[in-house]
Amino acid sequence: VTDEGPGIPERERARIFEPFHRLQPRDHGAGLGLHLVSEIIGRHKGHISVVDDPAGGACFRITLPIG
């Protein structure tokens, strides 16, 4: 999954899946979205990671086991 935003600074990548962690001051949302995605993927024995998209923005990679 990719976006066209400014990306996620490398120093923040380890924390973005923590509950209530936000990169921007609170203007909307509670900071739970990526945490919930991470929890759901983890319960399905999968993994989520984030890297820079070569075209700009962030690229979230989700892997799930077969079967």
Side-chain angles (χ1 to χ4, degrees), residues 8-36:
I8 298 172
E10 194 165 343
R11 68 183 181 280
E12 293 287 332
R13 291 181 189 168
R15 296 192 62 213
I16 61 171
F17 299 106
E18 294 176 7
F20 305 108
H21 182 73
R22 302 179 53 80
L23 295 178
Q24 308 276 330
R26 185 179 171 121
D27 59 350
H28 65 280
L32 289 173
L34 288 174
H35 172 70
L36 291 173

Side-chain angles (χ1 to χ4, degrees), residues 1 17 37-51 59-67:
V1 178
F17 299 106
V37 168
S38 177
E39 288 290 311
I40 292 167
I41 291 169
R43 288 175 188 251
H44 290 279
K45 309 258 189 278
H47 179 74
I48 184 169
S49 62
V50 62
V51 296
C59 177
F60 289 88
R61 293 185 181 155
I62 299 168
T63 56
L64 295 168
I66 295 176

